[in-house]
Amino acid sequence: MLTDSNSNSLSAFQNLESNVRSYSRSFPTVFRKGVGAILEDEKGFEYIDFLTGAGALNYGHNDPDLLNAVAEYLQSNGVIHALDMATSAKREFMECFDATILHPRGLKYKFQFPGPTGTNAVEAALKLARKVTGRRSIISFTNAFHGVSLGALAVTGNRHYRDVAGLPPAGGIFMHYDGYFGADIDTSEYLDKVLSDASSGIDLPAAIILETVQGEGGINVASEKWLRSVERLCRKNGILLIVDDVQAGCGRTGSFFSFEFAGLSPDIVVLSKSLSGLGLPLSLLLLKPELDVWQPAEHIGTFRGNNLALVTATSALRKFWANDNLCDDVMKKGGVMSERLREIALSTQKHNLSVRGRGLMLALDCATGNLAEKIQRKAFEGGLVVERCGAEDHVIKFLPPLTIDAQTLQRGLDILELSVHASA
Ligand code: PMP
């Protein structure tokens, strides 16, 4: 049995867990409970969670209806593991997703369940794009993050991850994300030019993969115009468009898919993180039916379609996606939050802070990693969990639960404001 003193201690993590651990360093306490937007540690301290599993908990911690769904399924001896055999949980999920999300948006996709992580789904998407087109390279963008296994790493920008690959991450070509050279330069024009020029030295790729808002790369927001231009040049050159909606999807930006506002029709969509709704591992590839050129069992894995996660995912679709209320709420709260963040940014003469983002995927750019770290540390001491992102970890990222109540949201922002002012 754990005693009070060792249950509060981090020494087990320091002594037993690999040095590779990361979040437990930024948030040095031992968490034991989560309810909605609140995390509680073993000492009974409460923290407002604006990180939410890096976007894996869009509906907050332990939503009671999702918990009930999983408890009922377990009590009924529902099958938990079945490889990719047909299960009633998977059928219900696919039918519900098709009826609730795809059909109302006029979208038609087939479902592929790869291994449970976002990276697993990205790997499958890249492999499929190569198989369909017979081409090798994939274009991705500066500051992109798509995962850290070899294929996904080849389209991930940050050297911090690329340098430890052990092999040259091969097959990715980096182009410039929207705004990379400032607002006046349209980087899609450059992309169009090099793809149209048979002598540019840039081979036609199998696919272009992008995030509409770059989550790990610094909450860089692509404009509607840029996204449409990229889609257009994909069509012109027979390039598949893959939208990685692992972090920006499932309502985070104010619509189920982050690309809806731009009217895109991606060939492949990658989803994970908040798909299960309860933080259970689940990922999904949506692919246009004509791209389904897989031969049976060409891409396999033991954990394809986690039945418990499929049960909670279906429950989340029924609870949150039967109407537009959640999206309306995200836009409202996103507006309130970004306004307050702008006030906080303006309220300090000491620092040059700026705010950006879309929906409830927002950020405070602190210009330096040092300052961002100080603010993050102070925030944690004050009871707020926020993560940093961007090339130099200089951006504080806000991913509160979409379901957060107005009062808790303001309390979190109050803590942030104090932390900004206390970070000289
Ligand atoms: N794509 C994006 C856009 C992500 O944000 C992440 C995770 N941060 C991934 C892929 C990888 O997902 P996972 O960590 O589940 O492998």
Side-chain angles (χ1 to χ4, degrees):
M1 208 178 89
L2 293 174
T3 66
D4 254 8
S5 64
N6 70 16
S7 71
N8 286 337
S9 156
L10 279 161
S11 60
F13 301 89
Q14 283 147 8
N15 297 334
L16 298 172
E17 192 178 359
S18 160
N19 212 33
V20 80
R21 68 193 189 282
S22 56
Y23 289 109
S24 60
R25 296 172 194 274
S26 309
F27 311 112
T29 192
V30 182
F31 295 103
R32 68 172 174 196
K33 280 190 188 172
V35 178
I38 305 295
L39 271 169
E40 185 186 304
D41 73 8
E42 287 183 337
K43 294 176 199 145
F45 289 137
E46 290 191 349
Y47 299 84
I48 297 172
D49 190 0
F50 279 7
L51 167 60
T52 56
L57 295 163
N58 280 4
Y59 317 119
H61 292 268
N62 289 323
D63 178 275
D65 296 314
L66 274 54
L67 280 181
N68 269 341
V70 91
E72 271 174 29
Y73 187 75
L74 288 170
Q75 271 158 10
S76 70
N77 278 331
V79 64
I80 292 176
H81 184 265
L83 296 165
D84 79 336
M85 287 188 265
T87 65
S88 33
K90 190 189 276 184
R91 182 179 52 210
E92 261 188 66
F93 169 76
M94 288 193 294
E95 289 178 350
C96 185
F97 193 97
D98 194 41
T100 313
I101 303 295
L102 298 184
H103 188 69
R105 290 165 179 77
L107 297 171
K108 196 151 179 45
Y109 287 113
K110 287 183 89 173
F111 297 74
Q112 182 184 350
F113 298 91
T117 69
T119 308
N120 292 154
V122 167
E123 291 287 347
L126 303 184
K127 194 194 269 189
L128 179 63
R130 290 181 167 119
K131 186 171 161 61
V132 167
T133 60
R135 298 179 188 157
R136 289 189 173 186
S137 60
I138 308 281
I139 285 184
S140 71
F141 294 98
T142 47
N143 285 304
F145 184 92
H146 299 290
V148 295
S149 60
L150 274 182
L153 200 52
V155 289
T156 288
N158 199 316
R159 279 182 215 137
H160 172 73
Y161 303 113
R162 293 171 64 86
D163 283 352
V164 293
L167 287 172
I173 298 173
F174 284 86
M175 289 289 158
H176 313 95
Y177 195 69
D178 194 15
Y180 191 70
F181 297 111
D184 297 338
I185 295 182
D186 181 350
T187 61
S188 68
E189 284 177 10
Y190 173 82
L191 181 54
D192 194 13
K193 172 84 179 157
V194 295
L195 291 175
S196 313
D197 177 357
S199 196
S200 66
I202 303 293
D203 296 329
L204 282 181
I208 292 181
I209 185 167
L210 60 85
E211 302 153 88
T212 69
V213 181
Q214 294 184 317
E216 302 304 317
I219 311 294
N220 307 311
V221 182
S223 67
E224 177 181 341
K225 177 170 174 277
W226 186 84
L227 290 167
R228 282 173 179 267
S229 305
V230 172
E231 182 177 66
R232 212 175 306 118
L233 63 89
C234 281
R235 302 294 166 239
K236 189 165 92 180
N237 296 289
I239 299 166
L240 300 183
L241 177 63
I242 304 172
V243 172
D244 179 344
D245 241 359
V246 165
Q247 191 161 154
C250 301
R252 177 53 62 189
T253 63
S255 50
F256 187 85
F257 297 110
S258 72
F259 54 80
E260 288 175 43
F261 83 111
L264 303 188
S265 172
D267 297 292
I268 302 175
V269 183
V270 183
L271 289 170
S272 183
K273 289 202 193 270
S274 277
L275 184 59
S276 80
L278 196 64
L280 296 173
L282 179 66
S283 83
L284 174 64
L285 241 70
L286 297 170
L287 44 127
K288 288 204 168 152
E290 63 273 24
L291 302 182
D292 193 16
V293 299
W294 292 116
Q295 292 301 309
E298 255 185 342
H299 190 79
I300 54 169
T302 304
F303 294 108
R304 277 176 292 157
N306 169 352
N307 284 289
L308 290 185
L310 289 165
V311 166
T312 55
T314 306
S315 182
L317 290 174
R318 292 194 179 124
K319 176 164 181 175
F320 296 109
W321 294 99
N323 54 44
D324 292 335
N325 294 353
L326 182 71
C327 291
D328 294 345
D329 235 32
V330 170
M331 294 318 287
K332 247 183 259 154
K333 287 176 201 162
V336 168
M337 187 167 183
S338 58
E339 199 173 308
R340 179 82 194 275
L341 287 172
R342 280 196 181 90
E343 282 166 21
I344 294 172
L346 284 174
S347 71
T348 165
Q349 304 300 317
K350 272 187 300 203
H351 310 305
N352 184 17
L353 305 178
S354 58
V355 177
R356 57 176 176 263
R358 202 148 68 72
L360 274 172
M361 190 165 185
L362 295 168
L364 191 64
D365 189 329
C366 301
T368 70
N370 247 345
L371 176 59
E373 188 185 4
K374 266 190 207 160
I375 297 173
Q376 180 192 36
R377 202 170 346 107
K378 294 268 179 219
F380 185 65
E381 286 163 17
L384 175 69
V385 172
V386 285
E387 179 51 335
R388 293 184 293 141
C389 62
E392 309 296 333
D393 275 345
H394 59 293
V395 178
I396 299 183
K397 173 163 79 168
F398 306 100
L399 302 171
L402 309 181
T403 51
I404 193 169
D405 62 87
Q407 210 188 351
T408 311
L409 185 64
Q410 288 300 345
R411 269 203 296 133
L413 290 164
D414 291 343
I415 299 171
L416 179 79
E417 181 163 22
L418 290 174
S419 312
V420 167
H421 292 153
S423 304

